[in-house]
C-alpha cells in the first residue's frame, strides 16, 4: 500500500515539487524528507519509486539537491548558487539514442543513489530553459511553496487560490472592515 502524500499542495514540476517537500501549515514547519519513507512518498508521486531507491544515502542526495535548488531559485544568475547544482548534475548525463521509434534521449546516472537527485536537478534546467520567468514563490507571507505560473498572462501570485489566495483575500477583507468600523 502506498502512503498518501501529506502535503497540502502537490503537482508542480519535479524540481519545484522537491522544494515543496518543506512546507508550513498552521505556523508549523513540516518536512516530507525527514525519513526514507517520506522520500518514497515523494518518488511515488512522480512515478519514480520503481526507478530509484528510497534509502538513507538517496535521501541525503535528494536533500542536498533540494538545498542546491533553493539557493539557485533564490539567487538566479549567481555562479556561486549554480555550482552545487552543477555538482549534482555531474552524477549523470543525457545520452542521445536511436530507437525503433527514432531519435531519443536516455538519462544515465553514475550511481543509483543520485538518480532522483540528478533527475530533479535536470528538471530544474528544463524549467530554466522553458519558463525561467514563471518560477515563483507564493505571495502569501507565511507560505514557503514554489509554483510554476501557468496563467495566460503570467500574473499568478499564489501557489493555490484555494489555500493561499483565499487567505490573502480574507485578510484584506478583514483589514478593510476593521478600518471602516473601528
Amino acid at each position: 500500500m502506498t502512503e498518501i502524500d501529506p502535503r497540502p499542495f502537490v503537482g508542480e514540476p519535479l524540481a519545484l515539487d522537491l522544494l515543496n517537500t518543506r512546507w508550513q501549515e498552521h505556523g508549523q514547519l513540516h518536512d516530507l524528507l525527514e525519513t526514507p519513507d517520506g522520500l518514497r512518498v515523494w518518488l511515488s508521486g512522480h512515478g519514480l519509486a520503481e526507478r530509484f531507491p528510497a534509502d538513507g544515502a538517496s535521501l541525503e542526495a535528494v536533500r542536498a539537491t533540494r538545498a542546491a535548488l533553493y539557493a539557485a531559485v533564490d539567487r538566479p544568475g549567481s555562479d556561486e548558487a549554480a555550482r552545487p547544482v552543477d555538482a549534482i548534475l555531474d552524477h549523470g548525463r543525457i545520452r542521445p539514442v536511436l530507437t525503433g521509434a527514432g531519435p531519443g534521449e536516455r538519462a544515465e546516472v553514475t550511481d543509483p543513489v543520485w538518480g532522483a537527485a540528478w533527475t530533479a536537478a535536470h528538471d530544474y534546467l528544463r524549467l530554466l530553459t522553458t519558463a525561467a520567468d514563471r518560477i515563483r514563490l507564493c505571495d502569501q507571507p507565511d507560505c514557503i511553496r514554489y509554483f510554476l505560473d501557468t496563467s495566460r498572462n503570467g500574473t499568478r501570485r499564489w501557489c493555490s487560490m484555494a489555500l493561499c489566495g483565499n487567505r490573502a483575500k480574507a485578510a484584506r477583507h478583514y483589514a478593510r472592515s476593521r478600518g471602516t468600523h473601528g
Side-chain angles (χ1 to χ4, degrees):
M1 181 174 146
T2 304
E3 189 176 337
I4 295 174
D5 195 326
R7 297 175 297 154
F9 179 67
V10 295
E12 288 300 311
L14 184 66
L16 299 182
D17 195 64
L18 177 57
L19 297 177
N20 292 340
T21 56
R22 290 182 68 240
W23 74 100
Q24 199 162 302
E25 193 171 28
H26 307 298
Q28 184 176 359
L29 185 64
H30 300 273
D31 187 349
L32 183 65
L33 300 181
E34 288 181 341
T35 66
D37 287 339
L39 175 59
R40 190 171 300 105
V41 167
W42 181 73
L43 291 170
S44 293
H46 291 281
L48 301 174
E50 299 300 318
R51 289 179 49 202
F52 303 120
D55 55 21
S58 297
L59 179 61
E60 290 307 312
V62 169
R63 282 184 185 159
T65 302
R66 180 176 66 183
L69 292 179
Y70 270 130
V73 168
D74 190 45
R75 296 181 313 217
S78 163
D79 288 338
E80 183 182 337
R83 279 192 282 279
V85 176
D86 283 344
I88 292 157
L89 291 168
D90 281 344
H91 290 279
R93 69 181 181 140
I94 295 293
R95 183 173 168 257
V97 295
L98 181 61
T99 69
E105 295 179 333
R106 180 179 317 137
E108 293 181 346
V109 187
T110 57
D111 180 349
V113 162
W114 284 94
W118 181 89
T119 302
H122 186 262
D123 184 62
Y124 179 64
L125 293 185
R126 180 190 62 78
L127 290 174
L128 289 178
T129 302
T130 60
D133 61 333
R134 296 284 185 119
I135 297 171
R136 304 254 168 45
L137 175 62
C138 183
D139 227 10
Q140 175 67 16
D142 52 342
C143 183
I144 60 173
R145 292 183 290 260
Y146 287 85
F147 64 92
L148 184 64
D149 181 355
T150 57
S151 68
R152 182 176 299 187
N153 58 5
T155 58
R156 184 171 149 199
R157 298 174 50 201
W158 302 293
C159 62
S160 164
M161 189 62 199
L163 297 171
C164 291
N166 281 340
R167 194 174 305 145
K169 287 181 175 190
R172 282 196 309 270
H173 174 73
Y174 178 75
R176 278 193 309 270
S177 67
R178 297 271 317 185
T180 59
H181 300 304

